[in-house]
Amino acid sequence: MEKSVIAALRTAVVEALYPISANMLADVCESLGLDPGTRDQAFSSKQRYVATRLLKLSREQILEVSQRVLEEYPTKELARAVQRATQDQPADRLVSEALTSFDEAGVHAVWQRAVARRETDPEGAITLARTLIETVCKHIIDGSSETYNETDELPRLYRIAAGCLNLAPDKHTEDTFKRILGGCQTIVEGLGAIRNKLSDAHGRGPKTLRASGRHAALAVNLAGAMAMFLVETAKEQSH
């Protein structure tokens, strides 16, 4: 990441945490992974208190802290800074643009967190990859006459959403389209399976296979492509 990107992250984090009471700031910062301090130090200058601790972090650590702050104390400026820091790949930008236009506050935030964690937290990224598809499917279903149960798993949510968008393989007669749409369904089912095997969603024994960056990249990139496809289909059909 370029120095300007890192500087933007630091500034956005400082601004996002500024509204926190000086009485609470030291505890909040420590919970976010920053060095511990005293309330007197925070009272002296909240901005300096946060900024000096961010300066000690590596690029990877700054991104991790920024992502935690975005989850707990989201601001548009921080969301933009994290987005810029994590969009090193052209495909990331395409997905981000599509999801921002669909639902900036919800779906896009999940995508940002998934991208940010591909290398630093593979297991969390895989969990978020599934969450991304689930969130998109629920938004699509909520905008239709169909319904779902909160206990519905991802494959069922996708089948309902696909039905709403006329993307179910059995609704098409052209063999090529049936294969493509069937492949999409298989991808979604696979995301659910890899999440159960490699993510942090379940407790595991000491011999359980651990997720790596390549596993996370696969899951997140597939989820992003599927989310973009669903979102763009929904937008096109709403016109």
Side-chain angles (χ1 to χ4, degrees):
M1 287 181 280
E2 299 178 359
K3 290 182 178 179
S4 61
V5 175
I6 298 301
L9 281 174
R10 290 195 189 103
T11 299
V13 169
V14 170
E15 292 176 352
L17 296 180
Y18 183 75
I20 297 173
S21 166
N23 193 49
M24 296 293 298
L25 186 60
D27 292 335
V28 169
C29 286
E30 188 171 353
S31 72
L32 292 168
L34 298 177
D35 285 348
T38 67
R39 287 180 171 81
D40 288 342
Q41 291 172 327
F43 270 108
S44 175
S45 172
K46 292 194 293 183
Q47 292 173 312
R48 184 168 62 249
Y49 183 90
V50 177
T52 55
R53 282 158 176 76
L54 293 174
L55 285 172
K56 301 176 182 179
L57 304 181
S58 67
R59 294 182 178 186
E60 292 75 17
Q61 289 172 326
I62 290 173
L63 184 56
E64 289 179 14
V65 169
S66 299
Q67 192 60 57
R68 295 190 196 109
V69 175
L70 183 61
E71 292 179 14
E72 297 290 333
Y73 308 96
T75 67
K76 289 184 178 180
E77 291 74 17
L78 182 56
R80 293 192 191 99
V82 170
Q83 178 180 344
R84 184 183 174 195
T86 56
Q87 286 183 354
D88 296 327
Q89 302 178 30
D92 291 351
R93 286 191 289 272
L94 292 174
V95 174
S96 187
E97 289 170 4
L99 299 187
T100 298
S101 63
F102 183 64
D103 174 28
E104 182 174 359
V107 174
H108 186 233
V110 177
W111 166 248
Q112 284 184 306
R113 294 199 299 272
V115 170
R117 294 184 182 182
R118 280 184 300 203
E119 294 296 331
T120 60
D121 180 14
E123 295 175 349
I126 290 171
T127 297
L128 286 165
R130 173 169 176 158
T131 300
L132 175 65
I133 299 296
E134 288 179 338
T135 305
V136 170
C137 288
K138 288 180 178 180
H139 275 265
I140 290 170
I141 299 169
D142 286 340
S144 72
S145 59
E146 298 294 330
T147 60
Y148 60 87
N149 296 318
E150 289 301 324
T151 56
D152 286 342
E153 295 289 337
L154 177 57
R156 174 164 173 74
L157 289 171
Y158 177 77
R159 285 195 294 272
I160 298 173
C164 296
L165 300 177
N166 196 32
L167 295 177
D170 58 6
K171 291 189 177 181
H172 295 265
T173 57
E174 172 60 42
D175 185 60
T176 300
F177 287 123
K178 288 176 69 71
R179 289 185 183 182
I180 291 173
L181 295 176
C184 289
Q185 187 167 305
T186 300
I187 287 172
V188 173
E189 292 172 352
L191 285 171
I194 194 173
R195 178 260 193 178
N196 290 334
K197 289 290 185 181
L198 299 178
S199 79
D200 60 359
H202 301 285
R204 296 166 304 174
K207 296 183 179 181
T208 304
L209 180 65
R210 299 288 174 174
S212 68
R214 64 188 176 89
H215 296 129
L218 174 65
V220 173
N221 294 345
L222 285 174
M226 285 303 306
M228 183 173 68
F229 175 59
L230 292 171
V231 166
E232 293 187 338
T233 300
K235 287 168 58 180
E236 182 176 314
Q237 293 184 5
S238 66
H239 293 158

